[in-house]
Amino acid sequence: MATKHRAVLLAALLPLLPLAACTVGPDFQEPSVWSPGTWFARRPPTPARLSLPTNEPIDPEWWRAFNDPVLTGLMRQVAAANLDVRAASIRLAEARAQRGIAVADAFPRVNGNASYTRTRPSEKGASSLFSGGGAGSSPALGSNGLAGQPGATPSRSRIGAFDLFQGGFDASWELDLWGRVRRAVESADANVDASEEAGRQTLVTSLAELARDYVQLRGIQEQLRIARRNLATAQQSAGLTAERARGGLATELDVANARSQSETTAASIPLLEQQEAQMQNAIALLLGSPPGALAAELSPVKPVPPVPPTVPAGLPSELARRRPDIRRAEALLHAATADIGEAEADFYPKITLSGSFALQAIQFKDLGSWASRTYGLGPSITIPIFEGGRLRRTLELRKAQQQEAAINYQKTVLDAFHEVDNALIAYRAEQLRRDRLEAAVQQSRRAQGLAQTRFRDGVSDFLEVLTAQRSVLAAEQARADSITTVSTNLVALYKALGGGWETNRR
């Protein structure tokens, strides 16, 4: 008879097996990406002396173009030491665990169980209808609650307290006929990809931030060098002016002006020293180190890392494949698309196969007997009839989230191309500014020399010298700032191009 039941069950399920390949909801299509034909459209002719971007492939370790061993050594520590990057690695592990949870729904669930129960039914409850309970019933009970002589029937006895031993397992398996589980796994896979790309974006950002801070540190050190050199010049001028005043060749006003210039230049040094220490701490923080940990390595003064003659920028069509934020936006769009299919599958019936097998006995010694077995097997179907609009609203929500993800992807792509274009413009413009400031420094120094000569010859007063000294200091500081900005603009360009993560995959 059991064989006949199994045959009937199998015959009922066979027509459903071809439906197992059915997956409702839209399939994800990789979005098309707009890109310009070249980075260099609408650009005026660039002087040959400037550093020029090219279409050559980007070096993943782009910071080597600065040819600074200290910077290279620091950059190679970021992937392992930066706390934001390490936290992103943990978030990736969380996403992979979530994916494992989604995959688990595709497999049967099997649970083992064992129990012991001491039970006494109520004499006045439902069991009394079958035990002949009442005022005239015999109170005699056996060791497990069976009353009367051997072979006594329930109609002539009461059921008293008894033991029940049981052990076995039960299993259930939802047939994924409409692809609900497959869509959930697809969404989880896409979220893993999104988390991985978020980690890469964190790495790109951390690399660029470290390179920028390092360049700015060297720029501050150059500002300090200029300030100290000008302080020495101002102090020398103040001494010379005082000596000339004692000889009647200068006035006390000239002396006061010279000393004022010296003190003003000296006043700028503590602020620059503060900025130097703070920038060293910023670099230490990026590498997960305490304040002052890198002072010995970074305190020796070095020049601002110079930019290379050419800058490989790759092709515009490669940007979407290289920038992690674009890849992450695409993965989130994929996940949102799969979520629609999961929501649609909830409208369809759920068919679950379930079964159980156990050994059950009143006496523990009988628990191993085959005669104590009990089992159940059969499918169940759940059909949504009325959910108060929950399923429909959930589907509307998933569709709206997918549309939002699509718009976010388009915006991310557009932002990326704008960021690269702006970085290219800034890189070129700052180089032109730097060259003009270099010419200004040369002329300011020449003017200072002429003013000092005129002052020594008694042709002019000290005011000309004072004005020339201030012009030299301002021009040299502006040039140093521009040199620093050119290098930081190159860092910004490489960040916009998405370089730096390819050789640091976790």
Side-chain angles (χ1 to χ4, degrees):
M1 189 66 178
T3 303
K4 180 179 179 181
H5 289 166
R6 286 195 293 269
V8 171
L9 176 61
L10 182 60
L13 293 177
L14 281 176
L16 298 176
L17 295 180
L19 296 177
C22 175
T23 305
V24 299
D27 293 325
F28 176 71
Q29 302 292 331
E30 184 175 320
S32 59
V33 180
W34 170 89
S35 66
T38 176
W39 296 121
F40 314 113
R42 303 179 291 102
R43 296 288 184 269
T46 301
R49 65 182 180 277
L50 299 188
S51 173
L52 301 175
T54 68
N55 284 326
E56 297 299 318
I58 296 177
D59 182 359
E61 295 186 351
W62 50 264
W63 50 87
R64 297 190 302 175
F66 288 112
N67 197 26
D68 189 312
V70 177
L71 174 61
T72 300
L74 294 173
M75 295 288 275
R76 289 176 176 171
Q77 300 177 42
V78 172
N82 183 265
L83 297 180
D84 289 334
V85 175
R86 291 167 61 184
S89 299
I90 300 300
R91 287 192 291 271
L92 175 59
E94 293 171 0
R96 287 173 174 163
Q98 290 288 349
R99 189 233 180 230
I101 294 173
V103 170
D105 287 339
F107 296 93
R109 299 182 182 182
V110 181
N111 299 300
N113 57 76
S115 65
Y116 160 74
T117 306
R118 176 70 176 176
T119 303
R120 183 188 184 281
S122 170
E123 296 181 9
K124 302 299 183 180
S127 61
S128 64
L129 299 176
F130 305 98
S131 61
S137 300
S138 173
L141 297 174
S143 63
N144 263 309
L146 295 180
Q149 301 298 322
T153 63
S155 61
R156 296 166 55 190
S157 64
R158 291 178 304 174
I159 300 178
F162 63 93
D163 298 325
L164 183 63
F165 299 91
Q166 182 171 304
F169 64 89
D170 58 77
S172 64
W173 181 29
E174 179 186 339
L175 298 180
D176 191 26
L177 300 180
W178 321 111
R180 184 189 67 83
V181 175
R182 291 192 294 277
R183 288 301 191 193
V185 173
E186 181 184 353
S187 176
D189 284 335
N191 281 318
V192 169
D193 292 340
S195 181
E196 187 171 7
E197 298 303 337
R200 290 171 177 168
Q201 179 64 21
T202 301
L203 178 59
V204 168
T205 301
S206 299
L207 289 168
E209 188 174 353
L210 176 59
R212 183 195 63 196
D213 288 352
Y214 180 83
V215 170
Q216 289 180 344
L217 170 65
R218 297 311 184 192
I220 292 170
Q221 290 176 340
E222 176 63 16
Q223 296 276 9
L224 265 171
R225 187 187 67 81
I226 293 171
R228 287 166 177 160
R229 188 183 66 208
N230 278 273
L231 175 60
T233 301
Q235 289 173 339
Q236 184 180 6
S237 295
L240 178 61
T241 304
E243 183 179 345
R244 289 173 62 84
R246 286 191 295 269
L249 300 176
T251 65
E252 287 300 319
L253 178 60
D254 292 335
V255 175
N257 284 330
R259 288 174 177 171
S260 175
Q261 175 67 13
S262 175
E263 294 299 329
T264 300
T265 304
S268 66
I269 293 177
L271 179 59
L272 290 171
E273 290 175 339
Q274 170 193 329
Q275 293 173 354
E276 179 187 23
Q278 289 174 338
M279 198 57 63
Q280 290 177 358
N281 285 340
I283 295 174
L285 178 60
L286 287 170
L287 295 179
S289 300
L294 300 177
E297 184 177 359
L298 298 176
S299 292
V301 177
K302 292 182 178 296
V304 174
V307 297
T310 59
V311 178
L315 297 172
S317 58
E318 299 171 348
L319 186 66
R321 293 294 92 201
R322 190 169 56 244
R323 279 195 47 142
D325 58 337
I326 296 179
R327 295 156 63 98
R328 177 176 180 270
E330 180 180 334
L332 292 176
L333 176 58
H334 188 171
T337 304
D339 288 342
I340 294 176
E342 185 178 0
E344 287 189 6
D346 286 336
F347 283 85
Y348 294 85
K350 293 182 180 179
I351 298 178
T352 303
L353 299 181
S354 59
S356 63
F357 178 84
L359 298 174
Q360 187 180 88
I362 293 177
Q363 297 287 345
F364 182 77
K365 62 183 179 61
D366 296 330
L367 197 60
S369 171
W370 185 243
S372 64
R373 72 187 184 277
T374 176
Y375 64 87
L377 176 66
S380 63
I381 183 169
T382 303
I383 302 175
I385 297 176
F386 179 73
E387 294 279 350
R390 182 183 62 86
L391 298 181
R392 187 172 301 279
R393 295 305 181 188
T394 300
L395 180 58
E396 291 175 358
L397 172 63
R398 298 294 179 254
K399 288 181 177 180
Q401 289 173 336
Q402 193 258 5
Q403 293 172 0
E404 180 185 4
I407 293 174
N408 181 67
Y409 175 81
Q410 294 174 1
K411 185 177 185 299
T412 303
V413 172
L414 194 59
D415 285 345
F417 281 105
H418 275 277
E419 188 177 347
V420 173
D421 196 65
N422 290 335
L424 287 168
I425 293 172
Y427 184 58
R428 178 185 183 278
E430 193 59 42
Q431 290 185 79
L432 294 174
R433 177 173 178 268
R434 176 202 60 195
D435 290 351
R436 294 291 184 268
L437 290 171
E438 177 64 37
V441 167
Q442 299 303 322
Q443 294 302 316
S444 295
R445 288 175 177 173
R446 182 171 181 271
Q448 182 184 25
L450 292 172
Q452 288 174 339
T453 301
R454 286 167 57 84
F455 176 65
R456 285 193 300 265
D457 294 342
V459 177
S460 64
D461 58 18
F462 188 73
L463 184 59
E464 287 188 2
V465 177
L466 186 62
T467 301
Q469 287 179 348
R470 289 172 177 170
S471 297
V472 169
L473 178 60
E476 288 183 341
Q477 288 177 334
R479 180 191 61 178
D481 180 71
S482 182
I483 291 173
T484 303
T485 303
V486 169
S487 294
T488 55
N489 283 351
L490 179 57
V491 172
L493 175 59
Y494 274 119
K495 178 179 179 291
L497 292 170
W501 61 265
E502 296 92 335
T503 58
N504 293 281
R505 295 190 184 187
R506 293 170 299 283

